[in-house]
Amino acid sequence: MVRNFPPDFIVRVDKEACINCLRCVRECPFGVHEYDKEKKKWKRHHEKCVACLRCAYMCPTQAISIEKHPMEYSPHPVWTNKVRKDIKTQAETGSVILTAMGNELPYLNYFDRLVLDACQVTNPSIDPLREPMELRTYIGRKPEKVDLEEDNGVDLKTKIAPNLKLETPIMFAHMSYGSISIEAQLSMARAAKEVGTYMGTGEGGMHVDLYPYADHIITQVASGRFAVHEEYLKRGAAIEIKIGQGAKPGIGGHLPGTKVTAEISQTRMIPEGSDAISPAPHHDIYSIEDLSRLIYALKEATRYKKPVFVKIAAVHNVAPIAVGIIRAGADAVVLDGFRGGTGAAPQVHRDHHGIPIEVAIASVDQRLREEGIRHWGSIIASGGIRSSADVAKAIALGADAVYIGTAALVALGCTVCKKCYTGKCPWGIATQVPELRKRLNPDEGARRAANLLKAWSHELKEILGALGLNSIESLRGNRDRLRGVGLSDVDLEVLGVKPAGR
Amino acid sequence: MAATLEKARVSKEGEFVVIDAKGMHYPELNVLIEDVINQGAKKLKLINVNGQRFIADGLRGDYYIEIHGVAGDDLGAFANGPTIVVYGNVQDGAGNTMNAGKIIVHGDGTDIIGHSMRGGKVFVRGHVGYRVGIHMKEYKDQVPVLVIGGTAGDFLGEYMAGGRIIILGLQRLETYPEIVGDWLATGIHGGAIYLRDEVDEDKLGYGAKFEELTEEDLAFLRREIEEFCSYFGGDVDEIMNAKFTKVVPLSHRPFAAMYSDSKEAGH
Ligand code: SF4
Ligand code: SF4
């Protein structure tokens, strides 16, 4: 049968400029460029190109350009080219389509329909160059009230639950060693330490190279319990129980045995070459009471020294679920919206399950306030945070801090080619192949990741200044400083914001 | 006040430090255990235990802890080395995600015993409930072993990635006399389960199959049963003289062929 499947991209090479150095052949992990030395002939496998642009940037003569393939099926608004290609792929293979990174369908992006306020005339704005601006954020349970003891100065009588101290309300999301390289993890760990924030291990355990940064690392306990060991729990700064993930709500995950190399096997504490399967649920958690048991099992095991977070995918009933989580004893609830990235997810789950992070933050913050327990735990938001403006809007909607995943990887060189699950990341990030890993220098990576945090923090201070606020705390849940543009009445009600003009 | 109360609870009995757990809430009991351990106790005896959770959670070291009464949920969860002997029953999650050590239970156990264990051993003289041994794993020379004298409920050894489970069926429930419930070893991709009885194939979950026992299996079973009998009594030869069923994974890569993408499909 004729495979009538037009390639996504076309690789154009300027024959005049090309010096036949074969660099592109070595650079492309997907085998797009092929040179027959005997016949002295080039063949470009356009159908394999993912537009990562690696070859184009490595070509010494800039001979390569990658373009969208001009050949397409006859246009149809319902039977899009993508839909037709997916059907053909599945007709060929009979299997689930795997993909990576975040939701690709054009759902409404609420961040882009929300605008921030600014001071004019009646209330002066603040210049962050002149005045101190407080971005410091504490994640964890806050006391009901504070009792002081006055006796030769003032002492705090109230016992404060352990909190994480963030110098900026932005953390690096959990991306496991195995899904990304140790060089990528090291880059973020160093940046987190330098800036005074945290990164997450994901379910891959903590590689020994990360030990020096352990006080800036949040460990993860997921359904496969890989690497979960008392020393691992005690080593990190906080513990996160992963129930769900925005990119694939309701399903588990698995690292194929082919990717469980000697080093990966060591940090995950599983045999080399065996599939690492994380079941969809934790099989010791079928209720909020069970969740509470795991939260306290972890607190007991670490003698109540570490805050314990619980991460869920943002789904329909996110508010009552989050309330249950906080009442179960979690020090923070992590909400991962449906634009959240991933190293590997079935496309059908990535694109069709879950809800946007913006509405999840608003409804959880609202419900926790209504129940009078907002101070019991923090809200950490993730899933599609692209800029300091998104951070500011997430915080104004009610988040305490955010996690960034994709944005951090883009800072490390990722071009969002969506091929992480192949383990052949052209930019040395989502790979364990030694030759590919060399493409990311962790010193350079750390500098860039730290720069991103510094740049966004700087912008956050400017945003606060324009709002006439001098601490991020005053922006939290301050939805009066947001307005909706072009949103429906119901959307506005859920978000708890007024329409622009009111 | 609290200090005198705690003093009254702690006493010495030979090499043992004895703690009277009567009426204590679990966080206080566990703080007290931590205290006596920090003061050098190696052998502890907890009396009047009545459902207190998280005893010996995350405990590292070769401590010996005797529990008189019913141990609550997650006994020895994340534990790394201690030996815990329970003269009574245990509740959910005993040995959950344990890395090393031993839990010996003279009574019954409820659900999720030995969940995600990576090392060490759990022996239960009586029955256990549902979801026991789910996602047990192994790593290098750490091969966890779970030995149950009675029967086990549904979902035994689901997603098992390593380790060994032995169900002896020496005692039976009147209401459900079979040695194991349904959905046995669904999604198993490592390790093995041994059941001392014939087991209907209908009970097998997706990804599991029966396999003939080898000489090696029998030698392994004998060793573990000897240890079982050393704790609870019983005749090793008599126990060995029965038909055992062995359950193993169909494949170590159960999901290998489930996914595709257009590039790999040759498009
Ligand atoms: S890298 Fe550029 S110059 Fe070298 S062979 Fe490829 S296209 Fe030609
Ligand atoms: S991490 Fe690598 S493979 Fe994944 S999208 Fe980015 S560039 Fe592509």
Side-chain angles (χ1 to χ4, degrees):
Chain A
M1 206 183 132
V2 177
R3 299 214 175 115
N4 50 4
F5 194 104
D8 295 329
F9 304 102
I10 187 160
V11 185
R12 297 209 191 272
V13 180
D14 179 346
K15 296 224 167 66
E16 302 265 293
C18 174
I19 52 170
N20 283 335
C21 69
L22 306 188
R23 179 89 192 237
C24 49
V25 178
R26 293 190 299 274
E27 290 293 337
C28 182
F30 304 110
V32 169
H33 306 271
E34 193 190 319
Y35 187 66
D36 186 330
K37 280 189 183 141
E38 272 164 30
K39 294 193 187 131
K40 300 213 160 109
K41 268 205 135 81
W42 279 99
K43 178 155 179 48
R44 256 85 196 192
H45 300 271
H46 305 290
E47 73 286 354
K48 291 186 179 165
C49 179
V50 302
C52 69
L53 308 191
R54 177 75 192 181
C55 61
Y57 282 94
M58 298 314 287
C59 170
T61 63
Q62 293 168 343
I64 305 174
S65 83
I66 311 289
E67 291 162 28
K68 264 191 80 179
H69 203 289
M71 185 162 71
E72 291 197 328
Y73 299 119
S74 165
H76 190 287
V78 178
W79 298 93
T80 60
N81 269 262
K82 168 101 171 77
V83 164
R84 278 174 270 180
K85 286 181 177 181
D86 284 351
I87 292 173
K88 286 171 192 293
T89 298
Q90 294 195 291
E92 186 71 29
T93 61
S95 47
V96 173
I97 294 179
L98 202 60
T99 186
M101 304 315 273
N103 198 317
E104 266 184 78
L105 294 187
Y107 296 101
L108 180 66
N109 195 321
Y110 290 85
F111 281 135
D112 296 341
R113 298 288 180 96
L114 290 168
V115 288
L116 290 156
D117 192 15
C119 297
Q120 301 294 304
V121 188
T122 53
N123 47 346
S125 43
I126 302 174
D127 182 355
L129 291 176
R130 274 181 54 209
E131 319 243 353
M133 283 285 175
E134 188 67 71
L135 291 187
R136 185 176 290 170
T137 302
Y138 287 92
I139 300 293
R141 194 186 181 104
K142 310 295 183 293
E144 215 70 40
K145 63 180 184 35
V146 175
D147 285 325
L148 299 174
E149 207 164 33
E150 282 185 58
D151 164 40
N152 270 340
V154 186
D155 277 332
L156 194 61
K157 236 173 92 185
T158 314
K159 239 190 121 217
I160 308 277
N163 270 247
L164 286 190
K165 182 169 118 185
L166 279 56
E167 297 301 343
T168 187
I170 310 163
M171 299 185 282
F172 294 120
H174 287 260
M175 291 175 275
S176 72
Y177 173 55
S179 73
I180 60 171
S181 66
I182 187 61
E183 288 77 12
Q185 279 201 329
L186 258 179
S187 301
M188 288 183 279
R190 288 185 193 159
K193 190 159 184 140
E194 184 192 332
V195 176
T197 183
Y198 297 82
M199 70 167 271
T201 57
E203 200 184 8
M206 201 192 291
H207 190 287
V208 284
D209 290 359
L210 293 180
Y211 287 3
Y213 311 94
D215 52 344
H216 288 270
I217 292 177
I218 302 164
T219 56
Q220 194 177 65
V221 175
S223 66
R225 300 290 154 87
F226 299 118
V228 178
H229 181 280
E230 49 93 16
E231 283 175 24
Y232 163 78
L233 298 172
K234 289 168 189 166
R235 186 172 286 124
I239 302 168
E240 184 165 307
I241 300 171
K242 177 193 171 183
I243 300 290
Q245 183 179 345
K248 37 182 166 177
I251 66 167
H254 85 278
L255 189 68
T258 47
K259 291 191 192 174
V260 183
T261 60
E263 265 191 295
I264 302 276
S265 113
Q266 243 172 47
T267 48
R268 292 200 182 211
M269 306 184 83
I270 51 170
E272 229 178 294
S274 77
D275 272 9
I277 297 170
S278 300
H282 289 243
H283 280 290
D284 53 351
I285 305 178
Y286 286 5
S287 66
I288 287 288
E289 291 75 15
D290 287 350
L291 174 67
S292 183
R293 179 179 59 213
L294 181 60
I295 292 170
Y296 281 94
L298 292 167
K299 290 188 178 197
E300 283 278 339
T302 52
R303 303 314 302 144
Y304 296 88
K305 289 187 187 118
K306 319 270 175 195
V308 175
F309 308 161
V310 176
K311 173 184 177 175
I312 52 167
V315 290
H316 299 185
N317 291 317
V318 67
I321 299 165
V323 165
I325 287 169
I326 295 297
R327 288 196 182 276
D331 298 282
V333 58
V334 181
L335 306 172
D336 197 17
F338 78 162
R339 285 190 299 269
T342 178
Q347 180 177 284
V348 65
H349 292 281
R350 187 198 64 176
D351 291 351
H352 299 279
H353 290 261
I355 63 169
I357 188 60
E358 303 90 322
V359 290
I361 302 167
S363 56
V364 170
D365 177 66
Q366 184 64 26
R367 182 68 79 90
L368 289 171
R369 283 172 196 275
E370 280 164 15
E371 301 207 9
I373 55 169
R374 181 61 183 83
H375 61 289
W376 283 21
S378 302
I379 298 174
I380 302 168
S382 63
I385 307 271
R386 304 156 298 175
S387 63
S388 61
D390 287 353
V391 178
K393 291 171 190 177
I395 291 174
L397 286 170
D400 290 81
V402 302
Y403 268 138
I404 56 167
T406 306
L409 298 191
V410 171
L412 299 182
C414 161
T415 53
V416 194
C417 74
K418 300 169 292 188
K419 289 292 156 212
C420 320
Y421 63 91
T422 61
K424 295 180 193 163
C425 173
W427 297 95
I429 298 164
T431 183
Q432 305 305 325
V433 179
E435 300 77 58
L436 295 174
R437 280 170 46 201
K438 275 192 223 134
R439 297 180 181 185
L440 176 64
N441 173 342
D443 293 328
E444 180 69 2
R447 190 182 67 81
R448 296 179 61 88
N451 267 350
L452 181 72
L453 293 178
K454 288 179 197 167
W456 285 16
S457 304
H458 196 88
E459 287 180 341
L460 279 177
K461 289 182 180 179
E462 298 282 351
I463 289 170
L464 288 177
L467 288 163
L469 303 174
N470 59 10
S471 85
I472 197 83
E473 199 130 295
S474 315
L475 181 62
R476 187 175 321 127
N478 195 344
R479 298 183 211 175
D480 197 35
R481 309 308 298 275
L482 290 173
R483 289 291 186 273
V485 178
L487 290 171
S488 75
D489 288 357
V490 181
D491 285 333
L492 292 168
E493 187 200 317
V494 174
L495 290 167
V497 299
K498 290 183 198 149
R502 288 250 173 89
Chain B
M1 179 64 204
T4 39
L5 181 78
E6 287 175 9
K7 244 182 214 148
R9 290 184 176 277
V10 180
S11 58
K12 278 278 243 184
E13 195 184 290
E15 322 164 80
F16 282 92
V17 175
V18 182
I19 297 177
D20 184 353
K22 194 176 170 107
M24 277 183 109
H25 190 29
Y26 73 81
E28 284 112 61
L29 173 62
N30 293 331
V31 165
L32 192 53
I33 293 172
E34 188 188 11
D35 281 354
V36 302
I37 282 177
N38 285 344
Q39 283 164 29
K42 282 275 168 210
K43 292 188 166 188
L44 284 78
K45 186 170 177 174
L46 314 179
I47 58 170
N48 294 318
V49 174
N50 194 7
Q52 283 94 345
R53 294 176 162 195
F54 313 123
I55 295 173
D57 243 30
L59 183 62
R60 184 195 326 179
D62 56 352
Y63 301 98
Y64 181 88
I65 301 176
E66 242 179 62
I67 295 176
H68 295 263
V70 176
D73 289 352
D74 273 351
L75 170 73
F78 316 108
N80 198 6
T83 298
I84 304 164
V85 184
V86 185
Y87 294 97
N89 300 331
V90 292
Q91 288 180 193
D92 293 359
N96 194 350
T97 323
M98 186 163 107
N99 191 62
K102 242 174 224 181
I103 299 180
I104 298 149
V105 181
H106 284 259
D108 298 320
T110 55
D111 301 343
I112 52 170
I113 308 297
H115 176 269
S116 275
M117 261 172 93
R118 184 188 303 115
K121 292 184 175 184
V122 176
F123 291 88
V124 179
R125 179 182 208 157
H127 305 288
V128 290
Y130 296 128
R131 294 183 265 145
V132 168
I134 288 192
H135 220 309
M136 264 170 79
K137 38 180 74 71
E138 58 189 59
Y139 175 59
K140 291 189 176 161
D141 55 347
Q142 283 176 259
V143 180
V145 180
L146 187 55
V147 187
I148 309 298
T151 60
D154 296 348
F155 316 111
L156 178 73
E158 263 193 5
Y159 294 102
M160 208 169 145
R164 306 284 179 269
I165 299 177
I166 303 169
I167 311 288
L168 296 175
L170 299 170
Q171 323 168 10
R172 298 298 172 111
L173 294 166
E174 253 173 57
T175 45
Y176 192 91
E178 292 174 56
I179 190 160
V180 71
D182 294 327
W183 308 105
L184 172 60
T186 308
I188 184 173
H189 53 289
I193 302 176
Y194 304 87
L195 302 120
R196 192 177 154 277
D197 203 347
E198 310 256 353
V199 176
D200 198 302
E201 198 158 355
D202 286 354
K203 285 191 179 291
L204 280 188
Y206 170 81
K209 65 171 184 190
F210 293 134
E211 193 180 86
E212 285 303 313
L213 277 84
T214 61
E215 286 303 313
E216 221 173 291
D217 288 324
L218 291 172
F220 160 76
L221 284 172
R222 178 168 284 276
R223 272 198 313 277
E224 298 307 319
I225 290 167
E226 273 168 6
E227 184 167 354
F228 179 88
C229 292
S230 76
Y231 301 132
F232 309 124
D235 186 305
V236 178
D237 291 323
E238 215 170 276
I239 296 175
M240 284 299 295
N241 185 20
K243 155 95 187 148
F244 279 87
T245 304
K246 182 182 179 190
V247 179
V248 294
L250 264 174
S251 151
H252 291 267
R253 306 261 343 259
F255 301 118
M258 216 162 108
Y259 302 107
S260 72
D261 83 351
S262 60
K263 309 286 170 198
E264 279 156 21
H267 286 138

